[in-house]
Structure formats: C-alpha cells, structure tokens
Amino acid sequence: LTSHAPALAHLVNADATLLDQVLMEDLHLAATPDRVLRQIRAEVRAHGLLPGLRRSRHHQVIRIALREVRRLADIDDTSRELADLAGACIEVAQESARQEVVSRFGEAVDDKGTPIPLVVMGMGKLGGGELNLGSDVDICFFHETDVGRTESGDTSVVDFFARVARKTAAAIGDL
C-alpha cells in the first residue's frame, strides 16, 4: 500500500488498528455511497464531527487504495469512490453546520414558513466523479431564496446560509 501510495503511510502509522479494520472487510465490493454515508454519520455520532470525519475518511481512503493495489478496482472505480467519499463528508459536514446555525438562530424559512433548502454542488473533478488522492475539492453553495427570515429573526437568510457555508468549508478543510 505505501509503495503504491506513499502519501498514505502516515495514516497507517498514525492508527495501528486502521489497516486491520480495513483488511477485515470484503474488498471485492465497492462501498455504496449510502453505506459510506451511514458509516461517516456513525463515526461522527461516536467521536464528534472533526474526529469522526477524519477517522471515516482515513478508513475509506485506505480501503479504496487497497482495492486498487490488489487490482480489485481500476482507476475509474477509485476516482468514483473517492468522489463519493468526498460527497458524503461534505454532506455530513453541511448537516452538522446547519444544525449548529439552527440552534443559534432557528431555521431559515421562506415567507410561507417552509425551511429553505441548501444545495452544495461539487465542481471540477468532484462534480465529474474523477477525484484522485491529490485533488482539491471545489464546492459551491446555493440556497433557494433570499426572501424569508430565520425563526429567531436575529439574522438574515443570506447570513444564515453564509454561516452554514463557512462552517461546512472549515470542517472539510480540516480533513
């Protein structure tokens, strides 16, 4: 593994149990995006946002790399799995960021009282499902409307979503 992907050596050396955990899995099967998302959410519940995201990311990156090293996945499979992993990490980070902002200001709602949705769009290699270990992840945040309010009335819809975006970007930037 470390001769194929030397950048992963520090992950294996930092947690002696990580490689053993990965090797207990059936590496013949690619992890589905839903399974990765469930695993990340479980790690975040157990260890907190940043430690849970890091543990999950490290585990999945090693699993994905081992699949390629063992020729159980080709470069297209690896790129897609890395993009799915990044998408799941972003989704969990965004959910956590939104919960944190909601706890302070209440939900951002439109003029009918309906929560305003937020879409996080992956750009470049992430959007194309073509990530590699060295890829940057570029994302854009879109919310449906600026017309509305937060339930507390203490901030604008624009400020609400700017806070969610900053907190999300900070969380994934720390991975």
Side-chain angles (χ1 to χ4, degrees):
L1 175 66
T2 57
S3 65
H4 178 75
L8 298 182
H10 77 282
L11 299 181
V12 174
N13 293 333
D15 184 348
T17 66
L18 193 58
L19 188 57
D20 290 336
Q21 290 171 358
V22 171
L23 289 171
M24 289 190 306
E25 297 179 25
D26 182 358
L27 297 177
H28 289 87
L29 302 173
T32 66
D34 287 341
R35 187 174 120 211
V36 173
L37 188 57
R38 283 192 308 274
Q39 185 258 336
I40 293 170
R41 285 180 175 143
E43 286 289 335
V44 166
R45 277 192 304 276
H47 302 285
L49 180 62
L50 293 179
L53 284 174
R54 274 191 207 102
R55 287 173 58 99
S56 296
R57 181 183 172 276
H58 295 172
H59 179 99
Q60 293 297 326
V61 164
I62 289 171
R63 186 192 56 74
I64 293 165
L66 276 174
R67 282 178 34 79
E68 187 174 315
V69 167
R70 291 182 166 186
R71 300 193 193 304
L72 301 172
D74 63 20
I75 190 73
D76 292 333
D77 296 326
T78 297
S79 296
R80 188 174 44 259
E81 286 188 63
L82 287 170
D84 289 344
L85 171 60
C89 287
I90 292 164
E91 184 170 340
V92 171
Q94 184 273 140
E95 290 167 352
S96 176
R98 187 165 185 150
Q99 288 172 346
E100 188 177 333
V101 176
V102 165
S103 71
R104 181 166 176 202
F105 298 105
E107 186 61 77
V109 295
D110 63 19
D111 54 359
K112 295 177 185 168
T114 304
I116 300 170
L118 175 68
V119 173
V120 183
M121 183 180 293
M123 307 300 287
K125 289 183 177 186
L126 173 60
E130 301 170 344
L131 281 186
N132 59 52
L133 283 176
S135 296
D136 288 334
V137 174
D138 300 313
I139 55 176
C140 292
F141 297 84
F142 301 95
H143 58 276
E144 189 172 273
T145 182
D146 294 343
V147 177
R149 57 181 172 71
T150 57
E151 292 171 323
S152 70
D154 290 341
T155 192
S156 69
V157 169
V158 171
D159 183 57
F160 176 93
F161 286 111
R163 289 171 187 266
V164 172
R166 278 193 303 271
K167 289 176 182 301
T168 302
I172 63 171
D174 285 342
L175 297 180

